[in-house]
Amino acid sequence: MTGQPVGGVAVKAFPVARSEARLLVPTLMFIALVVAAVASLGTPLITSVATSFHVSLGSAQWTLTVALLSGAVATPVLGRLGAGRHRRATILATLAVVVAGSALTVLPLPFAWLLAGRAAQGVGLGLTALMMGVARDHLPEERSAAVIALISVVSIIGAGVGYPLAALLAELAGVRAAYGLGLVVTAAALLTAWRSMPEAPEGRSAHVDVAGAVVLAAALLLVLFLAGERNLWSRHLAVAAGLAVVAVVLLCVWAVIELRSTTPLVDVRAVRHPAVAGANLAMFVGGIGMYLLLTLITRYAQTPHSAGYGFGLTTFVAGLVLIPFSVLGFVAGKLTPRVRTRIADPLLLAGSAVVVGGGFALFAAARSDLAELFAAMGVLGFGVGGFSAAMPGVILAVTPKSETSSAMSFNYVVRSVGYSLGSAIGGLILAAGTGPGHLFPDDSAYTTAALVGIGAMAITTLTSLALARRRSSETNP
């Protein structure tokens, strides 16, 4: 079997045997689930970290932000390394870094070491795209498409798995025990990868553009910093706007570096392909909306009754609200490969965006009962699951097999930035709706945020429909 040509030379691929494939697929799923769940551990533990380490909530928030940042920076670098012949070594080394970081979060060390450990854990987020590359190289084409779709879904619903478990452990045995969960599962992932991960096909080569990586890291640092520091926008708007301009300039410089490099970190020319560019735009705007609703529902569920709304749920019980999100997200991921035989991927993106918009509408109209929050979360999960499962098909349809990891890694960087901005936008809207002297925003602020989310999903739907029209015109000239 021959893969896509690289540099004019046919690349020999090595599909694994049937028995090995049965072991490989669960391995890919398990690793994608673990890195997503471990990276999400920061979300339910922020309050516990602030209390245990005697730091402010803003400082504790960095246990989540630093993982997102390191993941966003590591993803394109690992994607490029994954395109070469040392992919197996890259996967094992990355998992070793994640295990070491997990150990730092468990050991009785100062807060700075916890942040370092969380940064190391976040590096694992870059492995999702590599798992897709392995599936595309070593599984039959029809089988690999379904597996890649599920990997994409699992990388999102992993947050719903990690959230309630970590919250329960934190309540029962403290924050160190909750982070201990991360150490156990990442060690298991490393052992599983060592036993089951195949070598990359022969003839591959990959070089990391160091200059491009440094500039991209600086730009992403600014973007995620601005997304996480909500007080900066409300109290020092001029400074925030100036930093935003610097971030845009750095991204432009990075694009120029990539275009001039013979070994770019990300093939910007390929990213400019209308199908890829449209998919990344849909991922960016859709990611803003999806994460906005996720944060709105979880925050609303934990708001005490004294605010005049909310349910005053504990962290663990609030985490259970994510169960419909995970379950229906997985169901959508399983259904999508079957539906793809009849409906094009861009139309599936559009339909999924409409479903997420329906979740926003449900939350905006009905949230006085806890069952309604469960319903909205389930609708969100189904829409996110379908969207995530369809996205790789849009990008990989115009991507050489050898560039799978690199192309999908850029999409995941876009997703990470979109998620961060979605969280920040939600925080800003709720902050604007909080009256002087009040701890909690007015109930109407949640409605306003939901309407903004509906607008984001409308843009995502229109972008996806434009992709569908373009594909239809190409296949039916």
PDB file of all heavy atoms in Angstrom, residues 73 76-77 80 207-220 249-266:
ATOM      1  N   VAL A  73       0.608  25.989  22.223  1.00  0.00           N
ATOM      2  CA  VAL A  73       1.967  26.144  21.695  1.00  0.00           C
ATOM      3  C   VAL A  73       2.532  24.800  21.240  1.00  0.00           C
ATOM      4  O   VAL A  73       3.167  24.685  20.182  1.00  0.00           O
ATOM      5  CB  VAL A  73       2.890  26.786  22.761  1.00  0.00           C
ATOM      6  CG1 VAL A  73       4.333  26.780  22.282  1.00  0.00           C
ATOM      7  CG2 VAL A  73       2.425  28.200  23.069  1.00  0.00           C
ATOM      8  N   PRO A  76       1.088  22.659  17.373  1.00  0.00           N
ATOM      9  CA  PRO A  76       1.695  22.700  16.033  1.00  0.00           C
ATOM     10  C   PRO A  76       3.092  22.098  15.992  1.00  0.00           C
ATOM     11  O   PRO A  76       3.493  21.519  14.972  1.00  0.00           O
ATOM     12  CB  PRO A  76       1.716  24.196  15.690  1.00  0.00           C
ATOM     13  CG  PRO A  76       1.659  24.902  16.999  1.00  0.00           C
ATOM     14  CD  PRO A  76       0.842  24.023  17.894  1.00  0.00           C
ATOM     15  N   VAL A  77       3.845  22.234  17.086  1.00  0.00           N
ATOM     16  CA  VAL A  77       5.190  21.642  17.112  1.00  0.00           C
ATOM     17  C   VAL A  77       5.093  20.118  17.068  1.00  0.00           C
ATOM     18  O   VAL A  77       5.783  19.452  16.274  1.00  0.00           O
ATOM     19  CB  VAL A  77       5.961  22.094  18.374  1.00  0.00           C
ATOM     20  CG1 VAL A  77       7.307  21.378  18.457  1.00  0.00           C
ATOM     21  CG2 VAL A  77       6.156  23.605  18.364  1.00  0.00           C
ATOM     22  N   ARG A  80       4.022  18.884  13.654  1.00  0.00           N
ATOM     23  CA  ARG A  80       5.115  18.819  12.678  1.00  0.00           C
ATOM     24  C   ARG A  80       6.018  17.623  12.962  1.00  0.00           C
ATOM     25  O   ARG A  80       6.406  16.889  12.035  1.00  0.00           O
ATOM     26  CB  ARG A  80       5.898  20.136  12.720  1.00  0.00           C
ATOM     27  CG  ARG A  80       7.134  20.196  11.824  1.00  0.00           C
ATOM     28  CD  ARG A  80       6.830  19.806  10.401  1.00  0.00           C
ATOM     29  NE  ARG A  80       5.766  20.614   9.813  1.00  0.00           N
ATOM     30  CZ  ARG A  80       5.088  20.258   8.735  1.00  0.00           C
ATOM     31  NH1 ARG A  80       5.309  19.080   8.158  1.00  0.00           N
ATOM     32  NH2 ARG A  80       4.146  21.038   8.249  1.00  0.00           N
ATOM     33  N   HIS A 207      10.982  18.732  10.055  1.00  0.00           N
ATOM     34  CA  HIS A 207      11.881  19.665  10.733  1.00  0.00           C
ATOM     35  C   HIS A 207      11.027  20.740  11.392  1.00  0.00           C
ATOM     36  O   HIS A 207      10.069  21.228  10.796  1.00  0.00           O
ATOM     37  CB  HIS A 207      12.864  20.303   9.740  1.00  0.00           C
ATOM     38  CG  HIS A 207      13.700  19.304   9.001  1.00  0.00           C
ATOM     39  ND1 HIS A 207      14.831  18.741   9.545  1.00  0.00           N
ATOM     40  CD2 HIS A 207      13.550  18.756   7.770  1.00  0.00           C
ATOM     41  CE1 HIS A 207      15.366  17.892   8.669  1.00  0.00           C
ATOM     42  NE2 HIS A 207      14.600  17.882   7.579  1.00  0.00           N
ATOM     43  N   VAL A 208      11.374  21.099  12.604  1.00  0.00           N
ATOM     44  CA  VAL A 208      10.612  22.106  13.339  1.00  0.00           C
ATOM     45  C   VAL A 208      11.173  23.490  13.058  1.00  0.00           C
ATOM     46  O   VAL A 208      12.383  23.728  13.202  1.00  0.00           O
ATOM     47  CB  VAL A 208      10.644  21.818  14.854  1.00  0.00           C
ATOM     48  CG1 VAL A 208       9.916  22.916  15.614  1.00  0.00           C
ATOM     49  CG2 VAL A 208      10.009  20.465  15.146  1.00  0.00           C
ATOM     50  N   ASP A 209      10.311  24.391  12.641  1.00  0.00           N
ATOM     51  CA  ASP A 209      10.681  25.788  12.417  1.00  0.00           C
ATOM     52  C   ASP A 209      10.726  26.488  13.772  1.00  0.00           C
ATOM     53  O   ASP A 209       9.701  26.913  14.303  1.00  0.00           O
ATOM     54  CB  ASP A 209       9.647  26.432  11.485  1.00  0.00           C
ATOM     55  CG  ASP A 209       9.871  27.912  11.289  1.00  0.00           C
ATOM     56  OD1 ASP A 209      10.992  28.385  11.582  1.00  0.00           O
ATOM     57  OD2 ASP A 209       8.933  28.609  10.867  1.00  0.00           O
ATOM     58  N   VAL A 210      11.929  26.602  14.340  1.00  0.00           N
ATOM     59  CA  VAL A 210      12.085  27.132  15.694  1.00  0.00           C
ATOM     60  C   VAL A 210      11.632  28.583  15.774  1.00  0.00           C
ATOM     61  O   VAL A 210      10.913  28.978  16.697  1.00  0.00           O
ATOM     62  CB  VAL A 210      13.548  26.995  16.160  1.00  0.00           C
ATOM     63  CG1 VAL A 210      13.717  27.619  17.540  1.00  0.00           C
ATOM     64  CG2 VAL A 210      13.968  25.527  16.179  1.00  0.00           C
ATOM     65  N   ALA A 211      12.042  29.392  14.787  1.00  0.00           N
ATOM     66  CA  ALA A 211      11.657  30.811  14.804  1.00  0.00           C
ATOM     67  C   ALA A 211      10.146  30.959  14.753  1.00  0.00           C
ATOM     68  O   ALA A 211       9.551  31.747  15.502  1.00  0.00           O
ATOM     69  CB  ALA A 211      12.304  31.544  13.629  1.00  0.00           C
ATOM     70  N   GLY A 212       9.514  30.189  13.890  1.00  0.00           N
ATOM     71  CA  GLY A 212       8.061  30.243  13.797  1.00  0.00           C
ATOM     72  C   GLY A 212       7.402  29.810  15.090  1.00  0.00           C
ATOM     73  O   GLY A 212       6.390  30.383  15.517  1.00  0.00           O
ATOM     74  N   ALA A 213       7.962  28.785  15.744  1.00  0.00           N
ATOM     75  CA  ALA A 213       7.397  28.288  16.999  1.00  0.00           C
ATOM     76  C   ALA A 213       7.478  29.351  18.089  1.00  0.00           C
ATOM     77  O   ALA A 213       6.532  29.531  18.867  1.00  0.00           O
ATOM     78  CB  ALA A 213       8.122  27.019  17.436  1.00  0.00           C
ATOM     79  N   VAL A 214       8.602  30.066  18.169  1.00  0.00           N
ATOM     80  CA  VAL A 214       8.794  31.091  19.196  1.00  0.00           C
ATOM     81  C   VAL A 214       7.816  32.248  18.993  1.00  0.00           C
ATOM     82  O   VAL A 214       7.169  32.718  19.949  1.00  0.00           O
ATOM     83  CB  VAL A 214      10.243  31.602  19.183  1.00  0.00           C
ATOM     84  CG1 VAL A 214      10.391  32.819  20.095  1.00  0.00           C
ATOM     85  CG2 VAL A 214      11.193  30.497  19.622  1.00  0.00           C
ATOM     86  N   VAL A 215       7.692  32.722  17.753  1.00  0.00           N
ATOM     87  CA  VAL A 215       6.788  33.844  17.471  1.00  0.00           C
ATOM     88  C   VAL A 215       5.341  33.438  17.726  1.00  0.00           C
ATOM     89  O   VAL A 215       4.553  34.192  18.309  1.00  0.00           O
ATOM     90  CB  VAL A 215       6.971  34.339  16.022  1.00  0.00           C
ATOM     91  CG1 VAL A 215       5.942  35.418  15.689  1.00  0.00           C
ATOM     92  CG2 VAL A 215       8.374  34.896  15.831  1.00  0.00           C
ATOM     93  N   LEU A 216       4.971  32.220  17.292  1.00  0.00           N
ATOM     94  CA  LEU A 216       3.605  31.752  17.526  1.00  0.00           C
ATOM     95  C   LEU A 216       3.334  31.624  19.017  1.00  0.00           C
ATOM     96  O   LEU A 216       2.243  31.972  19.491  1.00  0.00           O
ATOM     97  CB  LEU A 216       3.391  30.409  16.833  1.00  0.00           C
ATOM     98  CG  LEU A 216       1.991  29.784  16.999  1.00  0.00           C
ATOM     99  CD1 LEU A 216       0.931  30.696  16.404  1.00  0.00           C
ATOM    100  CD2 LEU A 216       1.928  28.409  16.352  1.00  0.00           C
ATOM    101  N   ALA A 217       4.316  31.133  19.778  1.00  0.00           N
ATOM    102  CA  ALA A 217       4.145  31.001  21.227  1.00  0.00           C
ATOM    103  C   ALA A 217       3.894  32.361  21.869  1.00  0.00           C
ATOM    104  O   ALA A 217       3.022  32.507  22.738  1.00  0.00           O
ATOM    105  CB  ALA A 217       5.375  30.338  21.838  1.00  0.00           C
ATOM    106  N   ALA A 218       4.649  33.376  21.443  1.00  0.00           N
ATOM    107  CA  ALA A 218       4.468  34.717  21.997  1.00  0.00           C
ATOM    108  C   ALA A 218       3.085  35.273  21.664  1.00  0.00           C
ATOM    109  O   ALA A 218       2.415  35.871  22.523  1.00  0.00           O
ATOM    110  CB  ALA A 218       5.554  35.651  21.457  1.00  0.00           C
ATOM    111  N   ALA A 219       2.647  35.053  20.424  1.00  0.00           N
ATOM    112  CA  ALA A 219       1.332  35.555  20.012  1.00  0.00           C
ATOM    113  C   ALA A 219       0.225  34.856  20.788  1.00  0.00           C
ATOM    114  O   ALA A 219      -0.711  35.501  21.277  1.00  0.00           O
ATOM    115  CB  ALA A 219       1.143  35.347  18.508  1.00  0.00           C
ATOM    116  N   LEU A 220       0.326  33.536  20.917  1.00  0.00           N
ATOM    117  CA  LEU A 220      -0.704  32.790  21.645  1.00  0.00           C
ATOM    118  C   LEU A 220      -0.703  33.130  23.126  1.00  0.00           C
ATOM    119  O   LEU A 220      -1.767  33.158  23.765  1.00  0.00           O
ATOM    120  CB  LEU A 220      -0.492  31.287  21.448  1.00  0.00           C
ATOM    121  CG  LEU A 220      -0.761  30.756  20.034  1.00  0.00           C
ATOM    122  CD1 LEU A 220      -0.402  29.287  19.946  1.00  0.00           C
ATOM    123  CD2 LEU A 220      -2.223  30.971  19.644  1.00  0.00           C
ATOM    124  N   VAL A 249      -0.082  41.658  15.316  1.00  0.00           N
ATOM    125  CA  VAL A 249       1.167  41.889  14.574  1.00  0.00           C
ATOM    126  C   VAL A 249       2.052  40.646  14.627  1.00  0.00           C
ATOM    127  O   VAL A 249       2.635  40.228  13.610  1.00  0.00           O
ATOM    128  CB  VAL A 249       1.911  43.112  15.150  1.00  0.00           C
ATOM    129  CG1 VAL A 249       3.318  43.220  14.542  1.00  0.00           C
ATOM    130  CG2 VAL A 249       1.124  44.390  14.881  1.00  0.00           C
ATOM    131  N   LEU A 250       2.156  40.039  15.803  1.00  0.00           N
ATOM    132  CA  LEU A 250       2.973  38.827  15.938  1.00  0.00           C
ATOM    133  C   LEU A 250       2.431  37.693  15.075  1.00  0.00           C
ATOM    134  O   LEU A 250       3.204  36.944  14.453  1.00  0.00           O
ATOM    135  CB  LEU A 250       3.024  38.389  17.394  1.00  0.00           C
ATOM    136  CG  LEU A 250       3.900  39.222  18.331  1.00  0.00           C
ATOM    137  CD1 LEU A 250       3.749  38.750  19.770  1.00  0.00           C
ATOM    138  CD2 LEU A 250       5.370  39.149  17.907  1.00  0.00           C
ATOM    139  N   LEU A 251       1.111  37.563  15.002  1.00  0.00           N
ATOM    140  CA  LEU A 251       0.530  36.533  14.151  1.00  0.00           C
ATOM    141  C   LEU A 251       0.824  36.795  12.678  1.00  0.00           C
ATOM    142  O   LEU A 251       1.080  35.865  11.905  1.00  0.00           O
ATOM    143  CB  LEU A 251      -0.984  36.453  14.383  1.00  0.00           C
ATOM    144  CG  LEU A 251      -1.424  35.842  15.712  1.00  0.00           C
ATOM    145  CD1 LEU A 251      -2.927  35.978  15.895  1.00  0.00           C
ATOM    146  CD2 LEU A 251      -1.016  34.367  15.796  1.00  0.00           C
ATOM    147  N   CYS A 252       0.821  38.068  12.283  1.00  0.00           N
ATOM    148  CA  CYS A 252       1.166  38.415  10.895  1.00  0.00           C
ATOM    149  C   CYS A 252       2.636  38.105  10.612  1.00  0.00           C
ATOM    150  O   CYS A 252       2.975  37.580   9.542  1.00  0.00           O
ATOM    151  CB  CYS A 252       0.881  39.897  10.635  1.00  0.00           C
ATOM    152  SG  CYS A 252      -0.878  40.326  10.647  1.00  0.00           S
ATOM    153  N   VAL A 253       3.509  38.436  11.573  1.00  0.00           N
ATOM    154  CA  VAL A 253       4.935  38.116  11.422  1.00  0.00           C
ATOM    155  C   VAL A 253       5.134  36.619  11.310  1.00  0.00           C
ATOM    156  O   VAL A 253       5.915  36.119  10.491  1.00  0.00           O
ATOM    157  CB  VAL A 253       5.745  38.687  12.611  1.00  0.00           C
ATOM    158  CG1 VAL A 253       7.185  38.183  12.579  1.00  0.00           C
ATOM    159  CG2 VAL A 253       5.724  40.213  12.588  1.00  0.00           C
ATOM    160  N   TRP A 254       4.401  35.872  12.139  1.00  0.00           N
ATOM    161  CA  TRP A 254       4.496  34.410  12.091  1.00  0.00           C
ATOM    162  C   TRP A 254       4.091  33.880  10.720  1.00  0.00           C
ATOM    163  O   TRP A 254       4.744  32.995  10.175  1.00  0.00           O
ATOM    164  CB  TRP A 254       3.604  33.813  13.177  1.00  0.00           C
ATOM    165  CG  TRP A 254       3.478  32.322  13.068  1.00  0.00           C
ATOM    166  CD1 TRP A 254       4.400  31.386  13.425  1.00  0.00           C
ATOM    167  CD2 TRP A 254       2.360  31.597  12.547  1.00  0.00           C
ATOM    168  NE1 TRP A 254       3.930  30.120  13.160  1.00  0.00           N
ATOM    169  CE2 TRP A 254       2.685  30.227  12.622  1.00  0.00           C
ATOM    170  CE3 TRP A 254       1.124  31.976  12.025  1.00  0.00           C
ATOM    171  CZ2 TRP A 254       1.799  29.233  12.190  1.00  0.00           C
ATOM    172  CZ3 TRP A 254       0.239  30.996  11.613  1.00  0.00           C
ATOM    173  CH2 TRP A 254       0.584  29.645  11.691  1.00  0.00           C
ATOM    174  N   ALA A 255       3.013  34.434  10.148  1.00  0.00           N
ATOM    175  CA  ALA A 255       2.553  33.989   8.830  1.00  0.00           C
ATOM    176  C   ALA A 255       3.618  34.239   7.767  1.00  0.00           C
ATOM    177  O   ALA A 255       3.859  33.392   6.896  1.00  0.00           O
ATOM    178  CB  ALA A 255       1.249  34.701   8.465  1.00  0.00           C
ATOM    179  N   VAL A 256       4.285  35.392   7.858  1.00  0.00           N
ATOM    180  CA  VAL A 256       5.346  35.706   6.892  1.00  0.00           C
ATOM    181  C   VAL A 256       6.507  34.729   7.044  1.00  0.00           C
ATOM    182  O   VAL A 256       7.072  34.229   6.053  1.00  0.00           O
ATOM    183  CB  VAL A 256       5.828  37.161   7.093  1.00  0.00           C
ATOM    184  CG1 VAL A 256       7.076  37.437   6.232  1.00  0.00           C
ATOM    185  CG2 VAL A 256       4.717  38.141   6.732  1.00  0.00           C
ATOM    186  N   ILE A 257       6.893  34.445   8.293  1.00  0.00           N
ATOM    187  CA  ILE A 257       7.978  33.484   8.541  1.00  0.00           C
ATOM    188  C   ILE A 257       7.633  32.122   7.952  1.00  0.00           C
ATOM    189  O   ILE A 257       8.461  31.464   7.312  1.00  0.00           O
ATOM    190  CB  ILE A 257       8.244  33.358  10.054  1.00  0.00           C
ATOM    191  CG1 ILE A 257       8.842  34.660  10.600  1.00  0.00           C
ATOM    192  CG2 ILE A 257       9.187  32.193  10.350  1.00  0.00           C
ATOM    193  CD1 ILE A 257       8.998  34.659  12.115  1.00  0.00           C
ATOM    194  N   GLU A 258       6.398  31.686   8.163  1.00  0.00           N
ATOM    195  CA  GLU A 258       5.980  30.373   7.663  1.00  0.00           C
ATOM    196  C   GLU A 258       5.981  30.323   6.141  1.00  0.00           C
ATOM    197  O   GLU A 258       6.363  29.316   5.536  1.00  0.00           O
ATOM    198  CB  GLU A 258       4.586  30.024   8.196  1.00  0.00           C
ATOM    199  CG  GLU A 258       4.530  29.887   9.707  1.00  0.00           C
ATOM    200  CD  GLU A 258       5.487  28.815  10.216  1.00  0.00           C
ATOM    201  OE1 GLU A 258       5.196  27.633  10.074  1.00  0.00           O
ATOM    202  OE2 GLU A 258       6.551  29.195  10.757  1.00  0.00           O
ATOM    203  N   LEU A 259       5.560  31.415   5.494  1.00  0.00           N
ATOM    204  CA  LEU A 259       5.526  31.447   4.036  1.00  0.00           C
ATOM    205  C   LEU A 259       6.923  31.415   3.431  1.00  0.00           C
ATOM    206  O   LEU A 259       7.133  30.866   2.343  1.00  0.00           O
ATOM    207  CB  LEU A 259       4.781  32.705   3.553  1.00  0.00           C
ATOM    208  CG  LEU A 259       3.253  32.689   3.747  1.00  0.00           C
ATOM    209  CD1 LEU A 259       2.671  34.062   3.449  1.00  0.00           C
ATOM    210  CD2 LEU A 259       2.622  31.634   2.843  1.00  0.00           C
ATOM    211  N   ARG A 260       7.890  31.970   4.135  1.00  0.00           N
ATOM    212  CA  ARG A 260       9.258  32.020   3.624  1.00  0.00           C
ATOM    213  C   ARG A 260      10.087  30.797   4.008  1.00  0.00           C
ATOM    214  O   ARG A 260      11.141  30.563   3.428  1.00  0.00           O
ATOM    215  CB  ARG A 260       9.954  33.282   4.142  1.00  0.00           C
ATOM    216  CG  ARG A 260       9.371  34.579   3.581  1.00  0.00           C
ATOM    217  CD  ARG A 260      10.130  35.795   4.096  1.00  0.00           C
ATOM    218  NE  ARG A 260       9.633  37.030   3.497  1.00  0.00           N
ATOM    219  CZ  ARG A 260      10.116  38.237   3.772  1.00  0.00           C
ATOM    220  NH1 ARG A 260      11.106  38.351   4.676  1.00  0.00           N
ATOM    221  NH2 ARG A 260       9.619  39.303   3.196  1.00  0.00           N
ATOM    222  N   SER A 261       9.615  30.032   4.985  1.00  0.00           N
ATOM    223  CA  SER A 261      10.379  28.886   5.465  1.00  0.00           C
ATOM    224  C   SER A 261      10.238  27.695   4.522  1.00  0.00           C
ATOM    225  O   SER A 261       9.163  27.433   3.973  1.00  0.00           O
ATOM    226  CB  SER A 261       9.906  28.491   6.865  1.00  0.00           C
ATOM    227  OG  SER A 261      10.545  27.306   7.299  1.00  0.00           O
ATOM    228  N   THR A 262      11.337  26.984   4.335  1.00  0.00           N
ATOM    229  CA  THR A 262      11.289  25.758   3.535  1.00  0.00           C
ATOM    230  C   THR A 262      10.740  24.589   4.348  1.00  0.00           C
ATOM    231  O   THR A 262      10.312  23.589   3.797  1.00  0.00           O
ATOM    232  CB  THR A 262      12.696  25.397   3.014  1.00  0.00           C
ATOM    233  OG1 THR A 262      13.597  25.301   4.133  1.00  0.00           O
ATOM    234  CG2 THR A 262      13.200  26.474   2.054  1.00  0.00           C
ATOM    235  N   THR A 263      10.777  24.719   5.666  1.00  0.00           N
ATOM    236  CA  THR A 263      10.216  23.685   6.565  1.00  0.00           C
ATOM    237  C   THR A 263       9.296  24.366   7.575  1.00  0.00           C
ATOM    238  O   THR A 263       9.616  24.463   8.757  1.00  0.00           O
ATOM    239  CB  THR A 263      11.339  22.917   7.295  1.00  0.00           C
ATOM    240  OG1 THR A 263      12.154  23.851   8.019  1.00  0.00           O
ATOM    241  CG2 THR A 263      12.195  22.145   6.313  1.00  0.00           C
ATOM    242  N   PRO A 264       8.137  24.861   7.123  1.00  0.00           N
ATOM    243  CA  PRO A 264       7.258  25.628   8.015  1.00  0.00           C
ATOM    244  C   PRO A 264       6.654  24.775   9.118  1.00  0.00           C
ATOM    245  O   PRO A 264       6.469  23.570   8.965  1.00  0.00           O
ATOM    246  CB  PRO A 264       6.170  26.144   7.068  1.00  0.00           C
ATOM    247  CG  PRO A 264       6.127  25.135   5.967  1.00  0.00           C
ATOM    248  CD  PRO A 264       7.554  24.692   5.783  1.00  0.00           C
ATOM    249  N   LEU A 265       6.378  25.442  10.236  1.00  0.00           N
ATOM    250  CA  LEU A 265       5.708  24.771  11.350  1.00  0.00           C
ATOM    251  C   LEU A 265       4.308  24.343  10.919  1.00  0.00           C
ATOM    252  O   LEU A 265       3.851  23.239  11.213  1.00  0.00           O
ATOM    253  CB  LEU A 265       5.620  25.731  12.545  1.00  0.00           C
ATOM    254  CG  LEU A 265       5.152  25.147  13.877  1.00  0.00           C
ATOM    255  CD1 LEU A 265       6.179  24.170  14.414  1.00  0.00           C
ATOM    256  CD2 LEU A 265       4.926  26.272  14.877  1.00  0.00           C
ATOM    257  N   VAL A 266       3.632  25.218  10.211  1.00  0.00           N
ATOM    258  CA  VAL A 266       2.320  24.944   9.623  1.00  0.00           C
ATOM    259  C   VAL A 266       2.374  25.387   8.176  1.00  0.00           C
ATOM    260  O   VAL A 266       2.875  26.474   7.867  1.00  0.00           O
ATOM    261  CB  VAL A 266       1.198  25.710  10.365  1.00  0.00           C
ATOM    262  CG1 VAL A 266      -0.134  25.530   9.662  1.00  0.00           C
ATOM    263  CG2 VAL A 266       1.096  25.241  11.803  1.00  0.00           C
TER     264      VAL A 266
END
